[in-house]
Amino acid sequence: MIIARVETFLLQAPFTGVRRTQIDSASATDMAMLQVRLTTRDGLVGWGEAFGHGCCPATRSAIETLVAPALIGEDARDVNALSQRLQRRFHLFGRSGPVRYALAGIDIALWDLAGKEAGLPLYRLLGGRPRQNVLAYASLERYGARDALVGACRRAVDEGYRAIKLHEVELDLIRAARDAVGPHFTLMADTNCPWTAEEARDNARSLADCQLRWLEEPVWPPEDFESIAAVRATGAKIAAGENMSGLLEFRAFFEARALDVAQPSVAKIGITDTLKVIALAEAFGVTVVPHCAYFGSGYLAALHVVAAMPGDILFERLFLNMPESPFAPFSTAKGGSIAVPQGPGLGCDPAPEWIARG
Ligand SMILES: [Mg+2]
């Protein structure tokens, strides 16, 4: 299991239903998936995905120029230690951002190799019960207009989703969505860090009647744990974590009593650190619902992490149409649930014709 080769592939899958402005994609119409392929001397292949969207070229460069040379000759079975060694070695280039995302992609590929070596799907290797599906929630785009928003909510309900997350910041629109889906439907609102602490507290109070399952990232900047805790003190349920770079930032978040729901992003911090965050969250009584705004091996990794967790944790799927994907059929939700790959490792390598194009 000695690593012999590290390669990157930037796959682009056409989609409709989400504007470029929301995800800052390298292309207005294609979903970017920055894939990493590790090949061992004995020919075993592991796939990972590093975050993401408009940042893919920068992350790709970080993998190719910095991280790949450090991996050649390492034992791929040494996942935990390798994760730590690489973080130490490259920490001066940033604890978050392209270099950190590069390490996350490598970590996912190492876990794919671990599952393949063990002959087990990753979620079973992580201690999950045998299962065929996970429940997904529809993670809508920011429409900024009532008719488009209400139409999307109705489509998501018609497609069988039992939970919807909005990305609106106007309170009237959040209210309109609540009216559209009815009082008992599971509804979340992700605002992506728009408000001052005071604005966030006022808006959280105004939204109390909307009975949101959670209000996500209401404060700028995302690491202002104290202000987020003050929003939570209004009674709002708070979710955040996709912008956290690892265990200690989550610890600070938990210690500030700022979170109800922690959202580590697997393609940003890797599987190894996501598992640590899950354990720490349990100690603080915080629920974990991983962030997943991507569709490559990172999506599969998040799917396996969710499948391995006790109970029925919701899986985030962007509400967009992707007619073709290198990871079909796992990219698609049916009746609001997504099939869990049952093959070893992540259970689905990207289709060869896509790799040829990457
Ligand atoms: Mg979010």
Side-chain angles (χ1 to χ4, degrees):
M1 292 275 279
I2 301 300
I3 298 168
R5 207 159 62 234
V6 182
E7 298 155 286
T8 60
F9 303 85
L10 185 49
L11 311 184
Q12 306 272 2
F15 70 90
T16 56
V18 175
R19 293 174 309 195
R20 178 182 183 176
T21 46
Q22 184 184 334
I23 59 172
D24 191 23
S25 180
S27 155
T29 54
D30 292 350
M31 175 62 65
M33 307 176 194
L34 178 58
Q35 293 289 136
V36 190
R37 179 166 71 183
L38 300 185
T39 308
T40 66
R41 280 183 196 161
D42 36 351
L44 208 55
V45 168
W47 286 94
E49 181 185 14
F51 197 78
H53 303 302
C55 188
C56 284
T59 308
R60 183 177 205 174
S61 177
I63 295 171
E64 292 180 350
T65 61
L66 283 173
V67 182
L71 277 167
I72 306 301
E74 294 284 353
D75 187 343
R77 293 170 301 189
D78 200 16
V79 183
N80 292 331
L82 204 46
S83 162
Q84 289 204 355
R85 278 209 302 282
L86 292 171
Q87 285 195 50
R88 280 170 177 255
R89 176 159 175 179
F90 295 113
H91 76 272
L92 68 167
F93 299 128
R95 295 287 288 143
S96 184
V99 175
R100 184 74 178 92
Y101 305 159
L103 300 183
I106 299 295
D107 185 76
I108 292 169
L110 292 173
W111 277 100
D112 185 32
L113 281 169
K116 284 169 173 164
E117 191 199 20
L120 281 174
L122 181 61
Y123 80 99
R124 297 294 317 284
L125 189 68
L126 299 176
R129 66 190 187 274
R131 60 193 299 186
Q132 298 301 316
N133 303 290
V134 297
L135 279 179
Y137 72 82
S139 191
L140 270 51
E141 80 148 298
R142 181 171 300 166
Y143 302 91
R146 193 178 189 286
D147 289 352
L149 170 64
V150 167
C153 287
R154 296 212 169 112
R155 278 201 309 282
V157 172
D158 287 346
E159 287 182 22
Y161 285 102
R162 276 166 275 175
I164 290 175
K165 186 168 85 180
L166 315 171
H167 279 90
E168 307 299 331
V169 286
E170 290 174 45
L171 307 194
D172 287 351
L173 292 177
I174 296 173
R175 219 163 262 127
R178 170 52 82 197
D179 290 343
V181 297
H184 304 300
F185 195 87
T186 301
L187 189 69
M188 297 80 88
D190 183 356
T191 55
N192 295 110
C193 316
W195 297 319
T196 66
E198 186 182 3
E199 288 167 343
R201 286 196 303 275
D202 289 347
N203 291 339
R205 284 193 193 96
S206 299
L207 288 170
D209 60 320
C210 283
Q211 296 285 321
L212 296 172
R213 168 70 183 83
W214 71 65
L215 178 63
E216 182 170 329
E217 292 200 306
V219 172
W220 176 259
E223 65 274 23
D224 184 353
F225 308 129
E226 221 171 281
S227 295
I228 297 168
V231 179
R232 185 169 179 248
T234 68
K237 303 268 191 210
I238 301 294
E242 69 186 80
N243 286 303
M244 299 300 110
S245 64
L247 191 62
L248 292 188
E249 284 189 353
F250 276 99
R251 185 178 74 179
F253 231 143
F254 298 157
E255 285 177 343
R257 303 285 163 193
L259 285 188
D260 295 281
V261 175
Q263 300 168 302
S265 189
V266 181
K268 289 183 172 185
I269 69 169
I271 293 171
T272 304
D273 279 6
T274 295
L275 298 175
K276 294 177 185 177
V277 170
I278 290 171
L280 188 69
E282 185 176 329
F284 280 89
V286 174
T287 302
V288 173
V289 182
H291 168 256
C292 185
Y294 27 82
F295 278 92
S297 296
Y299 168 101
L300 296 176
L303 194 58
H304 280 278
V305 167
V306 166
M309 292 169 74
D312 282 305
I313 298 297
L314 287 169
F315 176 75
E316 177 172 21
R317 186 189 180 281
L318 293 181
F319 189 62
L320 50 76
N321 304 313
M322 192 183 294
E324 290 173 26
S325 158
F327 299 94
F330 303 106
S331 308
T332 314
K334 288 201 182 79
S337 72
I338 294 175
V340 179
Q342 301 297 323
L346 295 175
C348 184
D349 290 354
E353 63 271 23
W354 287 81
I355 301 167
R357 282 183 249 157

